Amino acid sequence: MCLSIPAKIESIDGETAVCSVGGTTYTASIQMLDINDLAPGDYVLLHTGFALQKISKEEAEATLELFDEFETFNEKLDQEEIKSGQRIV
Amino acid sequence: MQYIDEYRDKEKVVSLINRIKFISKKPIRIMEVCGGHTMAIQRFGIPSLLPDHIDLVSGPGCPVCVTSRAYIDQAIAYSRLPYVIITTYGDLIRVPGSSSTLDKEKATGADIRIVYSILDALTVAKQNRKKKIIFLGIGFETTSPGTAAGILKAQMAGLFNFFVYSAHKIMPPPMKALIDQGVKIDGYIGPGHVSTITGSKIFNFIPEKYGLGVVISGFEPLDILQTIYMLVLQYENNTQKVEIQYSRVVKPEGNIKAQEMLDEVFEMRDDWWRGLGTLPESGMAIRAKFEAFNAEKMIEVEVENTREDKGCICGSVLKGINKPSDCKLFGKVCTPSDPVGACMVSNEGACAAYYRYKRTDS
Ligand code: SF4
């Protein structure tokens, strides 16, 4: 019930938008958002027929970059392990 | 970017787990207070990936689970009135009342309709002007703005055959009550979708007053692991605070438009929570201004005396004191197809999530 899914805006008509998730389309109310700030192609978080928030592309990318850093860290650990011949984690 | 697959990358999962193992020294007990997290954590098998001294426990974050049996009994009583159509989210339909369920009432002729959105319930009201349409409003701050929007729309459209029976609740009071009642936790995985609406500030009292960290998390495996990493880091360094991992959706101030709608339609009242009892100012009542849409005020009904089930320990599961597998009925008498308690009904309930993903050991 608390399930909320990222959905892509396909088209906007007043306070409603047609959104798609995978191959399925839903009509959702966008009345809780700043309509001027939305355009087709944007992603929103969909919950019980309402878009609760626009998903920020910049923030999403920043989070993904962080994950890359973790990966680099992991490679470093691996190398240290090989060098020292000891298991670190 | 689809905002799903990117957050499930296997190699990245492994790196994050290594990083967690690297920094985590002290035993830590982390509670998630959102049913969506409970489900995701079990589904992706996250506990088995973590070192033993990191313990994940479920909290009171499944709306169906914390709802009182008296509420279900009253909904059932409403459904028996000949001029009433009940509209509800699917989750509630199989929750056991004292002697029946909405599902059983439906099978014997009650007009009960499952809707995906309150907007669909409004359509039912438009199409059935001679009937009284009652929408069962349950859920936390994620869901209640939709209910507020529905009531405002009903008012605008003059749909005076539309009523809401509200059991909406808010998340901070149980998070406070758990600590006050002595449940041992070292940090909270903050509810991502609740915070989308409320923002992160409403949790500031938790580090300030109780010294526990709160990290508001997304729902994909990498989100949850990063959140655990952030909580462990805070705990190890003694820098407990509120942080947002789910920053692609959650803003510190939340969704102001939704908050204003909530405030216009609802006011706070004391409310009962399974496992925690009555918590002050933890439930949402419809304001007098919108009384015409309040089922509790407008539709009289006689309700049977509520009886609780013996043997169900759902209450202490919701407090993180017991795991579902501690319950004698778990998986034997109580299963998702024949649930004894509410925690086995909703997908987000801890018992249902444990059962579905067969994790009797963790
Ligand atoms: S397994 Fe069933 S009876 Fe046991 S606590 Fe969970 S819901 Fe209650």
Side-chain angles (χ1 to χ4, degrees), chain B residues 85-89 93 106 111-115 124 127-128:
Chain B
I85 301 176
I86 298 281
T87 50
T88 175
Y89 297 127
I93 188 122
K106 188 172 154 72
D111 197 343
I112 298 171
R113 306 186 190 183
I114 294 175
V115 291
V124 175
Q127 290 165 347
N128 296 275

Side-chain angles (χ1 to χ4, degrees), chain B residues 311-314 317 324 327 329-331 334 340-344 351:
Chain B
C312 174
I313 58 162
C314 203
V317 170
C327 173
L329 309 181
F330 177 80
C334 181
V340 174
C343 299
M344 190 57 99
C351 296

Side-chain angles (χ1 to χ4, degrees), chain A residues 1-8 15-16 21-22 26-35 41-64 66-75 77-78 80-81 87-89, chain B residues 1-4 6-7 9 11-12 14-16 18-19 21-23 34-36 39 61 63-64 89 91 116-119 138-140 142-143 145-147 149-150 153 192-193 196-197 222-223 226 229 245-251 254-255 257-258 261 346 348:
Chain A
M1 197 194 109
C2 275
L3 205 70
S4 313
I5 32 176
K8 187 174 162 191
E15 281 197 341
T16 40
V21 182
Y26 298 90
T27 313
S29 164
I30 47 172
Q31 69 178 107
M32 287 177 203
L33 303 182
D34 177 2
I35 295 172
D42 284 344
Y43 276 79
V44 290
L45 189 71
L46 213 61
H47 175 77
T48 66
F50 294 88
L52 298 186
Q53 192 59 272
K54 182 175 160 179
I55 302 180
S56 155
K57 193 151 181 270
E58 294 74 34
E59 290 289 347
E61 279 165 0
T63 306
L64 289 174
L66 245 175
F67 294 145
D68 287 337
E69 268 172 43
F70 286 129
E71 236 175 336
T72 323
F73 169 82
N74 208 30
E75 279 158 21
L77 277 186
D78 282 349
E80 266 173 54
E81 281 183 2
R87 198 90 184 97
I88 296 175
V89 283
Chain B
M1 191 170 313
Q2 303 273 319
Y3 302 102
I4 294 178
E6 301 91 327
Y7 298 91
D9 185 301
E11 275 168 34
K12 295 194 170 118
V14 173
S15 334
L16 249 171
N18 278 342
R19 183 94 189 226
K21 285 181 182 162
F22 191 72
I23 60 160
C34 167
M39 205 162 59
V64 171
Y89 297 127
D91 305 53
Y116 163 67
S117 167
I118 193 169
L119 301 173
I138 66 158
F140 303 124
T142 324
T143 316
T147 305
K153 273 191 197 307
H193 294 142
T196 303
I197 301 297
L222 284 172
D223 289 323
Q226 192 192 2
Y229 172 78
Q245 181 278 333
Y246 198 26
S247 56
R248 61 188 182 278
V249 175
V250 176
K251 302 191 168 56
N255 181 333
K257 237 173 153 181
M261 260 162 36
S346 170
E348 293 155 21

Side-chain angles (χ1 to χ4, degrees), chain B residues 105-161:
Chain B
E105 296 300 313
K106 188 172 154 72
T108 53
D111 197 343
I112 298 171
R113 306 186 190 183
I114 294 175
V115 291
Y116 163 67
S117 167
I118 193 169
L119 301 173
D120 303 332
L122 290 174
T123 309
V124 175
K126 259 181 227 148
Q127 290 165 347
N128 296 275
R129 296 268 181 180
K130 292 208 177 89
K131 295 267 179 142
K132 295 189 175 186
I133 314 313
I134 301 180
F135 176 76
L136 303 180
I138 66 158
F140 303 124
E141 293 96 324
T142 324
T143 316
S144 48
T147 305
I151 290 177
L152 291 168
K153 273 191 197 307
Q155 189 190 43
M156 246 163 32
L159 274 177
F160 292 104
N161 62 332

Side-chain angles (χ1 to χ4, degrees), chain B residues 56-121:
Chain B
L56 298 183
V57 283
S58 306
C62 150
V64 171
C65 306
V66 294
T67 300
S68 71
R69 183 160 278 191
Y71 179 86
I72 306 292
D73 286 339
Q74 183 152 341
I76 289 171
Y78 280 137
S79 81
R80 288 175 178 160
L81 300 173
Y83 48 84
V84 161
I85 301 176
I86 298 281
T87 50
T88 175
Y89 297 127
D91 305 53
L92 265 183
I93 188 122
R94 287 171 48 245
V95 180
S98 294
S99 62
S100 181
T101 64
L102 288 165
D103 207 19
K104 283 185 192 148
E105 296 300 313
K106 188 172 154 72
T108 53
D111 197 343
I112 298 171
R113 306 186 190 183
I114 294 175
V115 291
Y116 163 67
S117 167
I118 193 169
L119 301 173
D120 303 332

